[in-house]
Amino acid sequence: MNLLSFTVVLGLLVGTWAQPIVRRPLCDSPEAEEAALVAQDYLNGQHHHGYKYVLNQINDIKVYTKPDGDEYDMEVDLLETDCHVLDPTPLANCTVRPKVQTAVEGDCDVVLKNVSGVLKVIAFKCKSEVSTEDLCLGCPTLLPLNHTDALDFVQASLTSFNNMTVDTTHVLLEVGRLSSQIVSGGPIFITEYVVVEGNCTEDPCVPLNDAMATRGICTAKGTIAQHSVDCKMFSTLIPIVDANSTAAADPLLPPAVHVHTHGLSHKHGHSHHKLTALHNPHQNILLSAESAEVVPVVPAAAFPAADPALAADYDTAGESLQSKEPPLFFRKRDVSAAIMVDAPAAQTGPVSLVPVCPGRVRFF
Ligand SMILES: *[C@@H]1O[C@H](CO)[C@@H](O)[C@H](O)[C@H]1NC(C)=O
Ligand SMILES: *[C@@H]1O[C@H](CO)[C@@H](O)[C@H](O)[C@H]1NC(C)=O
Ligand SMILES: *[C@@H]1O[C@H](CO)[C@@H](O)[C@H](O)[C@H]1NC(C)=O
Ligand SMILES: *[C@@H]1O[C@H](CO)[C@@H](O)[C@H](O)[C@H]1NC(C)=O
Ligand SMILES: *[C@@H]1O[C@H](CO)[C@@H](O)[C@H](O)[C@H]1NC(C)=O
Ligand SMILES: *[C@@H]1O[C@H](CO)[C@@H](O)[C@H](O)[C@H]1NC(C)=O
């Protein structure tokens, strides 16, 4: 009996000692923002399809003091912009997609380490979701990227575009977005896709395998019979990595063009581009500990059957980086449960409470 309680007490003590020291900086502190921006740039560097994401809110941050450098465990919300990942426009100049465009939102847990003064992402886990708020009758509806009619429309509009250019023929590199809208004249398509200069020595043309091949993003709207198409070629003079990117991420412009005829040849359809879901090469314990909060809603094996659309949502651009683990659902965190700290001691009168986290909302 005594031995047992002694063991329990010892166990508790050891447990206490083993706990690392945790700091909780304010979510809007410069320290948290610096780490969040490193995470943002890194996450953007990890996906080579779809659009760039921008930080919207820091939901939580914990800093574990470790002898070999502090470890940051953060939760951040990101929003989809209208800049494709291949677009060299700096993130600061990209426009956040409004909710009516059913933007994709990313909810990410990121673990960073301060290695001799430089913050580096060591693991992350993201859940993407489509914002379906503010939908209206007559608003564009997002279509899956394998939607046959919409893809036919994309090809038709690209043919029109190629007919307008004299020397170059462009071929489809990636379908970014497909949507349809009901207007007075009937349904129309609204699409966005990335094109690259083609090599047309053989028929059909194939993407020119050259890092200097011009690429651009096209927006086409209308029907196969009648449409407008507008392509904006990316400037090749601007470095593709954002000036302030810490470049911890892979450089976005590969020496050779990676040709993904995504959308057209992709076997498993998916509704839209998403952030890479999981990257934890060193099995980081914080992210693993975090999994305690993760509730797999359905057994992995039953998952695709349960909702193929949702399963398909877990298309991950960085397939090579993707762990083989099945997608997990996060339990929606109770963001309203902000941690409160006492107001400065100097203050007299009623003690006011200052929410530490989550931090401010940058967009919506
Ligand atoms: C980004 O925005 C700044 C200020 O608005 C502007 O000076 C700069 O030219 C823009 N850069 C690009 C690549 O659009
Ligand atoms: C990282 O650690 C260095 C000391 O090694 C410190 O000066 C710096 O402020 C830390 N950076 C962050 C963002 O905490
Ligand atoms: C290409 O454009 C010309 C007019 O500029 C038009 O006559 C022709 O039908 C177009 N061809 C295709 C395939 O759209
Ligand atoms: C175009 O493709 C052909 C093969 O179809 C290849 O032999 C040729 O080198 C390519 N040209 C360029 C400029 O990439
Ligand atoms: C880059 O960072 C510097 C200082 O950290 C800041 O003044 C500047 O506005 C940033 N530029 C962009 C494009 O974010
Ligand atoms: C698109 O992909 C979904 C999910 O894989 C599949 O169920 C559907 O049949 C595909 N649609 C087309 C038109 O290929």
Side-chain angles (χ1 to χ4, degrees), residues 146 148 268-269:
N146 65 349
T148 314
H268 44 279

Side-chain angles (χ1 to χ4, degrees), residues 28-336:
D28 283 336
S29 63
E31 182 184 12
E33 296 218 339
E34 183 191 339
L37 292 178
V38 169
Q40 164 197 276
D41 291 343
Y42 185 87
L43 291 169
N44 279 325
Q46 290 298 304
H47 69 131
H48 301 272
H49 301 281
Y51 299 88
K52 297 186 195 183
Y53 285 77
V54 69
L55 177 68
N56 187 42
Q57 188 176 27
I58 300 169
N59 284 330
D60 200 11
I61 177 166
K62 295 189 199 91
V63 183
Y64 296 85
T65 306
K66 300 242 175 122
D68 61 337
D70 288 0
E71 233 165 79
Y72 291 69
D73 184 12
M74 311 188 71
E75 193 196 327
V76 292
D77 275 354
L78 303 166
L79 294 175
E80 190 184 17
T81 68
D82 62 357
C83 286
H84 193 269
V85 288
L86 297 173
D87 187 340
T89 304
L91 190 55
N93 291 36
C94 298
T95 307
V96 174
R97 286 185 190 271
K99 283 201 175 189
V100 286
Q101 282 188 20
T102 54
V104 180
E105 302 178 6
D107 181 353
C108 300
D109 282 314
V110 188
V111 181
L112 301 101
K113 199 166 181 71
N114 183 349
V115 182
S116 51
V118 181
L119 281 173
K120 288 206 165 117
V121 173
I122 55 173
F124 69 83
K125 189 163 61 180
C126 290
K127 184 200 164 210
S128 302
E129 58 190 35
V130 174
S131 145
T132 46
E133 291 168 50
D134 303 347
L135 287 190
C136 66
L137 211 64
C139 284
T141 317
L142 211 53
L143 300 173
L145 291 175
N146 65 349
H147 192 282
T148 314
D149 290 349
L151 291 174
D152 288 347
F153 170 77
V154 163
Q155 282 300 350
S157 67
L158 182 53
T159 303
S160 304
F161 176 67
N162 280 329
N163 194 25
M164 292 188 287
T165 55
V166 186
D167 300 323
T168 351
T169 299
H170 288 91
V171 296
L172 190 59
L173 191 61
E174 179 185 306
V175 176
R177 263 178 173 257
L178 300 174
S179 52
S180 68
Q181 186 177 15
I182 307 295
V183 295
S184 53
I188 60 162
F189 289 114
I190 303 167
T191 61
E192 286 177 31
Y193 51 92
V194 178
V195 294
V196 63
E197 221 177 309
N199 171 356
C200 296
T201 48
E202 280 171 35
D203 191 47
C205 301
V206 294
L208 186 64
N209 194 12
D210 178 348
M212 297 312 288
T214 39
R215 290 182 280 181
I217 190 149
C218 300
T219 309
K221 200 170 168 175
T223 61
I224 288 189
Q226 193 176 17
H227 52 253
S228 64
V229 55
D230 176 40
C231 297
K232 185 187 117 209
M233 291 302 145
F234 302 145
S235 162
T236 45
L237 299 174
I238 303 168
I240 206 129
V241 175
D242 287 353
N244 278 1
S245 153
T246 48
D250 303 337
L252 280 183
L253 182 63
V257 176
H258 290 304
V259 175
H260 303 276
T261 44
H262 215 58
L264 278 190
S265 64
H266 214 286
K267 292 284 190 314
H268 44 279
H270 38 80
S271 36
H272 25 257
H273 296 291
K274 302 253 164 172
L275 280 163
T276 302
L278 179 67
H279 181 53
N280 192 5
H282 311 298
Q283 300 304 315
N284 183 271
I285 187 85
L286 290 180
L287 213 55
S288 308
E290 205 80 7
S291 333
E293 290 180 48
V294 170
V295 182
V297 173
V298 280
F303 185 74
D307 190 342
L310 271 178
D313 283 354
Y314 281 82
D315 164 61
T316 49
E319 274 115 356
S320 54
L321 294 156
Q322 166 77 348
S323 132
K324 292 281 175 277
E325 284 172 52
L328 294 167
F329 277 90
F330 288 66
R331 189 201 303 147
K332 197 76 192 157
R333 273 163 232 255
D334 187 3
V335 284
S336 61

